[in-house]
Amino acid sequence: MAGALATTGLLLLAYLEFPREHGAAALAVPEQAARAGAGRAARAGPGGPVPDAAAPGQPMSTYTTQFTPGEPRVRNIELAARRLDGHVVEPGETFSFNDVVGPRTRSRGYVPAPAIIGARLVNDVGGGICQVSTTLFNAVFQAGLDIRKARAHTMWMPEYPEGREAAVSYPGLDFTWKNDTGSPVRIQVTYTGSSLTVNLWGDRRYEVRSRASERYGFTPYGTGAGRGRRCVPMTGRKGFEIDVWRTLLAGGRKVRREKFHTEYRPQPEVTCR
């Protein structure tokens, strides 16, 4: 699941080599999240962005990912963002991305766009929607909420931090998390022509710290060819493994430490004929 190949190549150059601290730099405190929602030319679902005053609690976290304007996948991102925006997860409730967003079909407005199928990019209806689930995953990750089910993509794409992804495919592959805060959590989703932002509103239970390992266990890539409209050309990229740890603290004391292990397959060099 990714944008055009050229975009992927350019984005890859923008990422720093590991080791890298994710949590210290990325975690938004309430004041930062409030400023992130103010003064930004953004759109959301019907009725526009959710006003800060209407959201329960306080800003818990915010996360933004980028995309290339004008690509077919942008349509799919916007449709999923509208369905997600304004959803409230009650205390003790488990959120399901597939249940809230629903099927990704032509009849519901979704269009073909590049999606990750195994170790290849293939044009598929609803391609690109994983950008919405992954942006939400990172907001949930930073908010310290209870992640129940999440699986990274089989290939790494530089739009997302390594090891912090949530691939989805209706109806089987889902992203779920539980509201364990004791208060409602409201999901606010806004987008511009080139970015997607998820803000979570509620009462934060934990402070979050995170870090990532260096890449290891590299595997070489091969070559391949494809035909037809579903084929997407690709440059080769080695596979690798990475570990991400999230530590939850309350009152400065560690409550628990979680490990997210991801194995990315090599991305073959593909020519379309």
Side-chain angles (χ1 to χ4, degrees):
M1 200 244 22
L5 178 61
T7 303
T8 299
L10 291 173
L11 287 169
L12 179 59
L13 298 176
Y15 277 76
L16 299 176
E17 292 296 323
F18 279 94
R20 183 171 75 214
E21 281 286 331
H22 287 303
L27 182 61
V29 297
E31 291 79 8
Q32 291 173 321
R35 287 197 297 270
R40 179 173 59 238
R43 296 166 289 171
V50 179
D52 292 355
Q58 301 294 323
M60 298 177 68
S61 65
T62 184
Y63 202 85
T64 299
T65 57
Q66 308 291 327
F67 51 81
T68 301
E71 294 179 339
R73 66 197 299 269
V74 176
R75 167 69 175 170
N76 299 330
I77 291 171
E78 292 179 354
L79 287 174
R82 290 173 184 173
R83 292 190 175 276
L84 190 60
D85 179 54
H87 185 80
V88 175
V89 183
E90 298 296 340
E93 180 184 353
T94 297
F95 168 92
S96 163
F97 186 90
N98 281 341
D99 285 351
V100 174
V101 175
R104 281 72 89 173
T105 60
R106 290 182 184 270
S107 63
R108 304 183 85 206
Y110 292 97
V111 299
I116 297 176
I117 307 295
R120 297 280 290 267
L121 286 176
V122 176
N123 282 314
D124 193 28
V125 174
I129 199 173
C130 289
Q131 179 144 2
V132 182
S133 57
T134 292
T135 308
L136 175 62
F137 173 90
N138 279 279
V140 168
F141 183 97
Q142 294 177 178
L145 292 163
D146 183 8
I147 296 172
R148 289 302 182 92
K149 184 191 300 182
R151 196 185 80 182
H153 296 87
T154 51
M155 298 186 311
W156 174 67
M157 291 295 166
E159 291 90 341
Y160 317 127
E162 297 91 328
R164 285 174 49 171
E165 307 178 43
V168 291
S169 178
Y170 191 88
L173 184 58
D174 202 0
F175 167 44
T176 65
W177 54 274
K178 184 177 181 179
N179 177 7
D180 58 348
T181 66
S183 301
V185 173
R186 188 182 185 99
I187 303 170
Q188 179 186 26
V189 187
T190 61
Y191 55 87
T192 69
S194 60
S195 68
L196 176 74
T197 298
V198 172
N199 298 305
L200 297 181
W201 297 79
D203 295 321
R204 174 183 285 275
R205 183 180 183 185
Y206 300 117
E207 176 189 352
V208 176
R209 296 177 185 173
S210 65
R211 71 179 183 89
S213 71
E214 296 184 358
R215 301 175 182 181
Y216 64 94
F218 292 95
T219 51
Y221 65 87
T223 60
R227 297 178 181 273
R229 290 180 296 180
R230 299 193 71 196
C231 181
V232 177
M234 299 165 56
T235 55
R237 183 184 294 138
K238 291 181 180 179
F240 63 91
E241 298 179 44
I242 195 164
D243 298 312
V244 174
W245 292 271
R246 182 177 73 160
T247 302
L248 306 180
L249 303 98
R253 295 186 177 183
K254 182 173 74 173
V255 176
R256 68 176 181 268
R257 188 171 185 251
E258 303 165 330
K259 180 180 179 180
F260 299 81
H261 173 73
T262 303
E263 298 181 16
Y264 290 109
R265 297 183 189 178
Q267 175 179 304
E269 181 179 354
V270 177
T271 303
C272 296
R273 300 173 181 172

